[in-house]
Amino acid sequence: MQRVAQFEKVSFNQFDKDFKDTYGDQYDVNAVYESIKLPKRATSGSAGYDFYAPVDIELKAGETAKIPTGIRVKILDNWVLKVYPRSGLGFKFRLQLNNTVGIIDSDYYGSSNEGHIFIKITNDTNEGKTVSVKAGEGFAQGIFVEYGITFDDEASEKRDGGFGSTTKKN
């Protein structure tokens, strides 16, 4: 296996800002930050690195949650991290990412928000089921994929931001 990336926590200051933007003051942010687990594979044959819920998440049918994971990732050039819901949650509850597949580019790591990975999920069940994920349980998974570019590619811009930041200049 080729080793292509390293997960890290974002700084406490970045997490505090982003977490409070999502959840307000209903949690002890210090305790949540200290409990953040870096993504890891469950078995030696797993392709996906599990992302763990920083707090309890409960979504009734049709509800959405934006999860600040507290995680960033340093990735080698020509690799990308693709994020999906955990297979079991997708199968049992139709849990879906709002952007269908999260794409974490290698240059996101150096962004002004430290490359903080957010995962926005929706319980898209058509059976009225409620999704419950306890703090510390896996709810999404990321898979590293190598990619290529075209022979005539001339991209030279630098990223500084999250969702939609690569198209803001166009």
PDB file of all heavy atoms in Angstrom, residues 22-52:
ATOM      1  N   THR A  22     -21.848  26.139  14.390  1.00  0.00           N
ATOM      2  CA  THR A  22     -22.819  25.086  14.105  1.00  0.00           C
ATOM      3  C   THR A  22     -23.741  24.803  15.289  1.00  0.00           C
ATOM      4  O   THR A  22     -24.950  24.681  15.129  1.00  0.00           O
ATOM      5  CB  THR A  22     -22.089  23.786  13.698  1.00  0.00           C
ATOM      6  OG1 THR A  22     -21.296  24.047  12.541  1.00  0.00           O
ATOM      7  CG2 THR A  22     -23.076  22.677  13.389  1.00  0.00           C
ATOM      8  N   TYR A  23     -23.170  24.695  16.490  1.00  0.00           N
ATOM      9  CA  TYR A  23     -23.928  24.223  17.658  1.00  0.00           C
ATOM     10  C   TYR A  23     -24.164  25.274  18.734  1.00  0.00           C
ATOM     11  O   TYR A  23     -24.823  24.983  19.737  1.00  0.00           O
ATOM     12  CB  TYR A  23     -23.213  23.031  18.301  1.00  0.00           C
ATOM     13  CG  TYR A  23     -23.225  21.791  17.449  1.00  0.00           C
ATOM     14  CD1 TYR A  23     -22.088  21.374  16.781  1.00  0.00           C
ATOM     15  CD2 TYR A  23     -24.377  21.027  17.311  1.00  0.00           C
ATOM     16  CE1 TYR A  23     -22.098  20.223  15.995  1.00  0.00           C
ATOM     17  CE2 TYR A  23     -24.400  19.881  16.537  1.00  0.00           C
ATOM     18  CZ  TYR A  23     -23.257  19.490  15.883  1.00  0.00           C
ATOM     19  OH  TYR A  23     -23.264  18.355  15.117  1.00  0.00           O
ATOM     20  N   GLY A  24     -23.611  26.458  18.580  1.00  0.00           N
ATOM     21  CA  GLY A  24     -23.757  27.465  19.628  1.00  0.00           C
ATOM     22  C   GLY A  24     -23.004  27.043  20.878  1.00  0.00           C
ATOM     23  O   GLY A  24     -21.948  26.419  20.795  1.00  0.00           O
ATOM     24  N   ASP A  25     -23.566  27.369  22.034  1.00  0.00           N
ATOM     25  CA  ASP A  25     -22.900  27.087  23.311  1.00  0.00           C
ATOM     26  C   ASP A  25     -23.514  25.906  24.061  1.00  0.00           C
ATOM     27  O   ASP A  25     -23.365  25.801  25.269  1.00  0.00           O
ATOM     28  CB  ASP A  25     -22.960  28.334  24.210  1.00  0.00           C
ATOM     29  CG  ASP A  25     -22.083  29.453  23.681  1.00  0.00           C
ATOM     30  OD1 ASP A  25     -20.996  29.148  23.159  1.00  0.00           O
ATOM     31  OD2 ASP A  25     -22.495  30.622  23.786  1.00  0.00           O
ATOM     32  N   GLN A  26     -24.175  24.986  23.349  1.00  0.00           N
ATOM     33  CA  GLN A  26     -24.848  23.888  24.047  1.00  0.00           C
ATOM     34  C   GLN A  26     -23.911  22.767  24.498  1.00  0.00           C
ATOM     35  O   GLN A  26     -24.332  21.868  25.208  1.00  0.00           O
ATOM     36  CB  GLN A  26     -25.977  23.328  23.189  1.00  0.00           C
ATOM     37  CG  GLN A  26     -25.543  22.714  21.863  1.00  0.00           C
ATOM     38  CD  GLN A  26     -26.695  22.171  21.068  1.00  0.00           C
ATOM     39  OE1 GLN A  26     -27.543  21.452  21.601  1.00  0.00           O
ATOM     40  NE2 GLN A  26     -26.761  22.502  19.789  1.00  0.00           N
ATOM     41  N   TYR A  27     -22.623  22.814  24.115  1.00  0.00           N
ATOM     42  CA  TYR A  27     -21.661  21.780  24.497  1.00  0.00           C
ATOM     43  C   TYR A  27     -20.423  22.416  25.114  1.00  0.00           C
ATOM     44  O   TYR A  27     -20.108  23.576  24.846  1.00  0.00           O
ATOM     45  CB  TYR A  27     -21.203  20.980  23.260  1.00  0.00           C
ATOM     46  CG  TYR A  27     -22.272  20.144  22.624  1.00  0.00           C
ATOM     47  CD1 TYR A  27     -22.992  20.612  21.527  1.00  0.00           C
ATOM     48  CD2 TYR A  27     -22.553  18.868  23.087  1.00  0.00           C
ATOM     49  CE1 TYR A  27     -23.969  19.845  20.924  1.00  0.00           C
ATOM     50  CE2 TYR A  27     -23.522  18.084  22.491  1.00  0.00           C
ATOM     51  CZ  TYR A  27     -24.231  18.581  21.408  1.00  0.00           C
ATOM     52  OH  TYR A  27     -25.186  17.800  20.814  1.00  0.00           O
ATOM     53  N   ASP A  28     -19.699  21.636  25.889  1.00  0.00           N
ATOM     54  CA  ASP A  28     -18.385  22.021  26.389  1.00  0.00           C
ATOM     55  C   ASP A  28     -17.391  21.759  25.249  1.00  0.00           C
ATOM     56  O   ASP A  28     -16.993  20.610  25.020  1.00  0.00           O
ATOM     57  CB  ASP A  28     -18.028  21.197  27.629  1.00  0.00           C
ATOM     58  CG  ASP A  28     -16.635  21.470  28.155  1.00  0.00           C
ATOM     59  OD1 ASP A  28     -15.855  22.214  27.518  1.00  0.00           O
ATOM     60  OD2 ASP A  28     -16.315  20.902  29.219  1.00  0.00           O
ATOM     61  N   VAL A  29     -17.006  22.813  24.540  1.00  0.00           N
ATOM     62  CA  VAL A  29     -16.174  22.661  23.352  1.00  0.00           C
ATOM     63  C   VAL A  29     -14.824  22.041  23.692  1.00  0.00           C
ATOM     64  O   VAL A  29     -14.288  21.247  22.912  1.00  0.00           O
ATOM     65  CB  VAL A  29     -15.991  24.011  22.616  1.00  0.00           C
ATOM     66  CG1 VAL A  29     -15.127  23.858  21.383  1.00  0.00           C
ATOM     67  CG2 VAL A  29     -17.331  24.590  22.232  1.00  0.00           C
ATOM     68  N   ASN A  30     -14.269  22.368  24.840  1.00  0.00           N
ATOM     69  CA  ASN A  30     -12.990  21.767  25.251  1.00  0.00           C
ATOM     70  C   ASN A  30     -13.103  20.248  25.324  1.00  0.00           C
ATOM     71  O   ASN A  30     -12.236  19.528  24.830  1.00  0.00           O
ATOM     72  CB  ASN A  30     -12.534  22.314  26.609  1.00  0.00           C
ATOM     73  CG  ASN A  30     -12.085  23.745  26.524  1.00  0.00           C
ATOM     74  OD1 ASN A  30     -11.239  24.086  25.707  1.00  0.00           O
ATOM     75  ND2 ASN A  30     -12.649  24.589  27.373  1.00  0.00           N
ATOM     76  N   ALA A  31     -14.165  19.762  25.943  1.00  0.00           N
ATOM     77  CA  ALA A  31     -14.356  18.317  26.084  1.00  0.00           C
ATOM     78  C   ALA A  31     -14.580  17.658  24.723  1.00  0.00           C
ATOM     79  O   ALA A  31     -14.045  16.571  24.455  1.00  0.00           O
ATOM     80  CB  ALA A  31     -15.530  18.026  27.016  1.00  0.00           C
ATOM     81  N   VAL A  32     -15.363  18.304  23.870  1.00  0.00           N
ATOM     82  CA  VAL A  32     -15.611  17.747  22.532  1.00  0.00           C
ATOM     83  C   VAL A  32     -14.298  17.679  21.758  1.00  0.00           C
ATOM     84  O   VAL A  32     -13.975  16.651  21.148  1.00  0.00           O
ATOM     85  CB  VAL A  32     -16.659  18.583  21.762  1.00  0.00           C
ATOM     86  CG1 VAL A  32     -16.794  18.083  20.329  1.00  0.00           C
ATOM     87  CG2 VAL A  32     -18.011  18.540  22.465  1.00  0.00           C
ATOM     88  N   TYR A  33     -13.512  18.749  21.798  1.00  0.00           N
ATOM     89  CA  TYR A  33     -12.233  18.784  21.075  1.00  0.00           C
ATOM     90  C   TYR A  33     -11.290  17.671  21.564  1.00  0.00           C
ATOM     91  O   TYR A  33     -10.669  16.985  20.761  1.00  0.00           O
ATOM     92  CB  TYR A  33     -11.576  20.152  21.244  1.00  0.00           C
ATOM     93  CG  TYR A  33     -10.291  20.304  20.465  1.00  0.00           C
ATOM     94  CD1 TYR A  33     -10.298  20.505  19.092  1.00  0.00           C
ATOM     95  CD2 TYR A  33      -9.057  20.237  21.112  1.00  0.00           C
ATOM     96  CE1 TYR A  33      -9.119  20.645  18.381  1.00  0.00           C
ATOM     97  CE2 TYR A  33      -7.871  20.369  20.409  1.00  0.00           C
ATOM     98  CZ  TYR A  33      -7.909  20.577  19.041  1.00  0.00           C
ATOM     99  OH  TYR A  33      -6.734  20.711  18.336  1.00  0.00           O
ATOM    100  N   GLU A  34     -11.211  17.517  22.866  1.00  0.00           N
ATOM    101  CA  GLU A  34     -10.328  16.492  23.430  1.00  0.00           C
ATOM    102  C   GLU A  34     -10.757  15.083  23.032  1.00  0.00           C
ATOM    103  O   GLU A  34      -9.931  14.176  22.943  1.00  0.00           O
ATOM    104  CB  GLU A  34     -10.255  16.611  24.952  1.00  0.00           C
ATOM    105  CG  GLU A  34      -9.480  17.821  25.426  1.00  0.00           C
ATOM    106  CD  GLU A  34      -8.060  17.884  24.880  1.00  0.00           C
ATOM    107  OE1 GLU A  34      -7.362  16.849  24.881  1.00  0.00           O
ATOM    108  OE2 GLU A  34      -7.649  18.971  24.435  1.00  0.00           O
ATOM    109  N   SER A  35     -12.045  14.879  22.775  1.00  0.00           N
ATOM    110  CA  SER A  35     -12.545  13.538  22.453  1.00  0.00           C
ATOM    111  C   SER A  35     -12.479  13.206  20.955  1.00  0.00           C
ATOM    112  O   SER A  35     -12.778  12.076  20.566  1.00  0.00           O
ATOM    113  CB  SER A  35     -13.988  13.385  22.939  1.00  0.00           C
ATOM    114  OG  SER A  35     -14.860  14.184  22.158  1.00  0.00           O
ATOM    115  N   ILE A  36     -12.081  14.160  20.132  1.00  0.00           N
ATOM    116  CA  ILE A  36     -12.023  13.917  18.683  1.00  0.00           C
ATOM    117  C   ILE A  36     -11.027  12.801  18.386  1.00  0.00           C
ATOM    118  O   ILE A  36      -9.894  12.812  18.862  1.00  0.00           O
ATOM    119  CB  ILE A  36     -11.627  15.197  17.918  1.00  0.00           C
ATOM    120  CG1 ILE A  36     -12.751  16.219  17.992  1.00  0.00           C
ATOM    121  CG2 ILE A  36     -11.290  14.880  16.460  1.00  0.00           C
ATOM    122  CD1 ILE A  36     -12.366  17.584  17.452  1.00  0.00           C
ATOM    123  N   LYS A  37     -11.486  11.829  17.588  1.00  0.00           N
ATOM    124  CA  LYS A  37     -10.637  10.715  17.169  1.00  0.00           C
ATOM    125  C   LYS A  37     -10.266  10.915  15.702  1.00  0.00           C
ATOM    126  O   LYS A  37     -11.132  11.250  14.880  1.00  0.00           O
ATOM    127  CB  LYS A  37     -11.376   9.381  17.318  1.00  0.00           C
ATOM    128  CG  LYS A  37     -11.799   9.076  18.741  1.00  0.00           C
ATOM    129  CD  LYS A  37     -12.361   7.673  18.951  1.00  0.00           C
ATOM    130  CE  LYS A  37     -13.333   7.159  17.958  1.00  0.00           C
ATOM    131  NZ  LYS A  37     -13.995   5.897  18.354  1.00  0.00           N
ATOM    132  N   LEU A  38      -8.996  10.698  15.389  1.00  0.00           N
ATOM    133  CA  LEU A  38      -8.567  10.769  13.999  1.00  0.00           C
ATOM    134  C   LEU A  38      -9.190   9.618  13.215  1.00  0.00           C
ATOM    135  O   LEU A  38      -9.357   8.519  13.743  1.00  0.00           O
ATOM    136  CB  LEU A  38      -7.046  10.698  13.899  1.00  0.00           C
ATOM    137  CG  LEU A  38      -6.268  11.844  14.527  1.00  0.00           C
ATOM    138  CD1 LEU A  38      -4.761  11.611  14.360  1.00  0.00           C
ATOM    139  CD2 LEU A  38      -6.675  13.187  13.951  1.00  0.00           C
ATOM    140  N   PRO A  39      -9.529   9.851  11.956  1.00  0.00           N
ATOM    141  CA  PRO A  39     -10.093   8.771  11.130  1.00  0.00           C
ATOM    142  C   PRO A  39      -9.117   7.595  11.035  1.00  0.00           C
ATOM    143  O   PRO A  39      -7.899   7.775  11.007  1.00  0.00           O
ATOM    144  CB  PRO A  39     -10.276   9.435   9.762  1.00  0.00           C
ATOM    145  CG  PRO A  39     -10.443  10.884  10.076  1.00  0.00           C
ATOM    146  CD  PRO A  39      -9.517  11.134  11.232  1.00  0.00           C
ATOM    147  N   LYS A  40      -9.689   6.398  11.008  1.00  0.00           N
ATOM    148  CA  LYS A  40      -8.866   5.201  10.840  1.00  0.00           C
ATOM    149  C   LYS A  40      -9.681   4.117  10.145  1.00  0.00           C
ATOM    150  O   LYS A  40     -10.901   4.168  10.104  1.00  0.00           O
ATOM    151  CB  LYS A  40      -8.305   4.708  12.168  1.00  0.00           C
ATOM    152  CG  LYS A  40      -9.338   4.216  13.140  1.00  0.00           C
ATOM    153  CD  LYS A  40      -8.671   3.741  14.420  1.00  0.00           C
ATOM    154  CE  LYS A  40      -9.718   3.178  15.355  1.00  0.00           C
ATOM    155  NZ  LYS A  40      -9.139   2.647  16.571  1.00  0.00           N
ATOM    156  N   ARG A  41      -8.951   3.141   9.608  1.00  0.00           N
ATOM    157  CA  ARG A  41      -9.593   1.994   8.971  1.00  0.00           C
ATOM    158  C   ARG A  41      -9.955   0.985  10.046  1.00  0.00           C
ATOM    159  O   ARG A  41      -9.214   0.789  11.009  1.00  0.00           O
ATOM    160  CB  ARG A  41      -8.668   1.347   7.947  1.00  0.00           C
ATOM    161  CG  ARG A  41      -8.336   2.258   6.788  1.00  0.00           C
ATOM    162  CD  ARG A  41      -7.469   1.609   5.721  1.00  0.00           C
ATOM    163  NE  ARG A  41      -6.292   0.981   6.290  1.00  0.00           N
ATOM    164  CZ  ARG A  41      -5.749  -0.149   5.840  1.00  0.00           C
ATOM    165  NH1 ARG A  41      -6.280  -0.797   4.816  1.00  0.00           N
ATOM    166  NH2 ARG A  41      -4.672  -0.649   6.400  1.00  0.00           N
ATOM    167  N   ALA A  42     -11.082   0.315   9.874  1.00  0.00           N
ATOM    168  CA  ALA A  42     -11.539  -0.675  10.857  1.00  0.00           C
ATOM    169  C   ALA A  42     -10.775  -1.984  10.740  1.00  0.00           C
ATOM    170  O   ALA A  42     -10.548  -2.653  11.746  1.00  0.00           O
ATOM    171  CB  ALA A  42     -13.030  -0.923  10.690  1.00  0.00           C
ATOM    172  N   THR A  43     -10.391  -2.351   9.519  1.00  0.00           N
ATOM    173  CA  THR A  43      -9.671  -3.604   9.292  1.00  0.00           C
ATOM    174  C   THR A  43      -8.569  -3.364   8.268  1.00  0.00           C
ATOM    175  O   THR A  43      -8.578  -2.364   7.545  1.00  0.00           O
ATOM    176  CB  THR A  43     -10.595  -4.716   8.751  1.00  0.00           C
ATOM    177  OG1 THR A  43     -11.007  -4.369   7.419  1.00  0.00           O
ATOM    178  CG2 THR A  43     -11.816  -4.917   9.636  1.00  0.00           C
ATOM    179  N   SER A  44      -7.644  -4.302   8.172  1.00  0.00           N
ATOM    180  CA  SER A  44      -6.540  -4.163   7.215  1.00  0.00           C
ATOM    181  C   SER A  44      -7.025  -4.205   5.767  1.00  0.00           C
ATOM    182  O   SER A  44      -6.329  -3.735   4.877  1.00  0.00           O
ATOM    183  CB  SER A  44      -5.494  -5.254   7.453  1.00  0.00           C
ATOM    184  OG  SER A  44      -6.058  -6.531   7.241  1.00  0.00           O
ATOM    185  N   GLY A  45      -8.208  -4.731   5.525  1.00  0.00           N
ATOM    186  CA  GLY A  45      -8.763  -4.776   4.181  1.00  0.00           C
ATOM    187  C   GLY A  45      -9.714  -3.637   3.851  1.00  0.00           C
ATOM    188  O   GLY A  45     -10.230  -3.566   2.737  1.00  0.00           O
ATOM    189  N   SER A  46      -9.959  -2.751   4.811  1.00  0.00           N
ATOM    190  CA  SER A  46     -10.880  -1.626   4.590  1.00  0.00           C
ATOM    191  C   SER A  46     -10.242  -0.569   3.690  1.00  0.00           C
ATOM    192  O   SER A  46      -9.086  -0.202   3.889  1.00  0.00           O
ATOM    193  CB  SER A  46     -11.246  -0.951   5.914  1.00  0.00           C
ATOM    194  OG  SER A  46     -11.919  -1.823   6.772  1.00  0.00           O
ATOM    195  N   ALA A  47     -10.997  -0.077   2.735  1.00  0.00           N
ATOM    196  CA  ALA A  47     -10.533   1.028   1.901  1.00  0.00           C
ATOM    197  C   ALA A  47     -10.808   2.364   2.588  1.00  0.00           C
ATOM    198  O   ALA A  47     -10.043   3.311   2.453  1.00  0.00           O
ATOM    199  CB  ALA A  47     -11.233   1.000   0.540  1.00  0.00           C
ATOM    200  N   GLY A  48     -11.914   2.424   3.339  1.00  0.00           N
ATOM    201  CA  GLY A  48     -12.359   3.686   3.918  1.00  0.00           C
ATOM    202  C   GLY A  48     -11.826   3.942   5.310  1.00  0.00           C
ATOM    203  O   GLY A  48     -11.716   3.031   6.130  1.00  0.00           O
ATOM    204  N   TYR A  49     -11.514   5.211   5.559  1.00  0.00           N
ATOM    205  CA  TYR A  49     -11.143   5.699   6.889  1.00  0.00           C
ATOM    206  C   TYR A  49     -12.391   6.269   7.532  1.00  0.00           C
ATOM    207  O   TYR A  49     -13.000   7.201   6.999  1.00  0.00           O
ATOM    208  CB  TYR A  49     -10.063   6.781   6.779  1.00  0.00           C
ATOM    209  CG  TYR A  49      -8.702   6.206   6.509  1.00  0.00           C
ATOM    210  CD1 TYR A  49      -8.328   5.817   5.227  1.00  0.00           C
ATOM    211  CD2 TYR A  49      -7.796   6.019   7.540  1.00  0.00           C
ATOM    212  CE1 TYR A  49      -7.087   5.272   4.982  1.00  0.00           C
ATOM    213  CE2 TYR A  49      -6.549   5.469   7.309  1.00  0.00           C
ATOM    214  CZ  TYR A  49      -6.204   5.104   6.027  1.00  0.00           C
ATOM    215  OH  TYR A  49      -4.968   4.546   5.798  1.00  0.00           O
ATOM    216  N   ASP A  50     -12.788   5.702   8.664  1.00  0.00           N
ATOM    217  CA  ASP A  50     -14.012   6.137   9.333  1.00  0.00           C
ATOM    218  C   ASP A  50     -13.829   7.499   9.989  1.00  0.00           C
ATOM    219  O   ASP A  50     -12.839   7.743  10.678  1.00  0.00           O
ATOM    220  CB  ASP A  50     -14.429   5.126  10.397  1.00  0.00           C
ATOM    221  CG  ASP A  50     -14.912   3.818   9.808  1.00  0.00           C
ATOM    222  OD1 ASP A  50     -15.312   3.799   8.625  1.00  0.00           O
ATOM    223  OD2 ASP A  50     -14.885   2.802  10.526  1.00  0.00           O
ATOM    224  N   PHE A  51     -14.800   8.375   9.760  1.00  0.00           N
ATOM    225  CA  PHE A  51     -14.894   9.658  10.454  1.00  0.00           C
ATOM    226  C   PHE A  51     -15.887   9.470  11.590  1.00  0.00           C
ATOM    227  O   PHE A  51     -16.965   8.903  11.391  1.00  0.00           O
ATOM    228  CB  PHE A  51     -15.394  10.760   9.514  1.00  0.00           C
ATOM    229  CG  PHE A  51     -14.321  11.327   8.631  1.00  0.00           C
ATOM    230  CD1 PHE A  51     -13.899  10.656   7.505  1.00  0.00           C
ATOM    231  CD2 PHE A  51     -13.732  12.550   8.940  1.00  0.00           C
ATOM    232  CE1 PHE A  51     -12.916  11.187   6.681  1.00  0.00           C
ATOM    233  CE2 PHE A  51     -12.749  13.085   8.135  1.00  0.00           C
ATOM    234  CZ  PHE A  51     -12.330  12.396   7.006  1.00  0.00           C
ATOM    235  N   TYR A  52     -15.545   9.979  12.766  1.00  0.00           N
ATOM    236  CA  TYR A  52     -16.331   9.745  13.963  1.00  0.00           C
ATOM    237  C   TYR A  52     -17.103  10.995  14.370  1.00  0.00           C
ATOM    238  O   TYR A  52     -16.591  12.116  14.283  1.00  0.00           O
ATOM    239  CB  TYR A  52     -15.417   9.300  15.109  1.00  0.00           C
ATOM    240  CG  TYR A  52     -14.612   8.078  14.734  1.00  0.00           C
ATOM    241  CD1 TYR A  52     -13.286   8.189  14.345  1.00  0.00           C
ATOM    242  CD2 TYR A  52     -15.201   6.814  14.732  1.00  0.00           C
ATOM    243  CE1 TYR A  52     -12.554   7.061  13.976  1.00  0.00           C
ATOM    244  CE2 TYR A  52     -14.477   5.691  14.360  1.00  0.00           C
ATOM    245  CZ  TYR A  52     -13.156   5.831  13.983  1.00  0.00           C
ATOM    246  OH  TYR A  52     -12.440   4.710  13.603  1.00  0.00           O
TER     247      TYR A  52
END
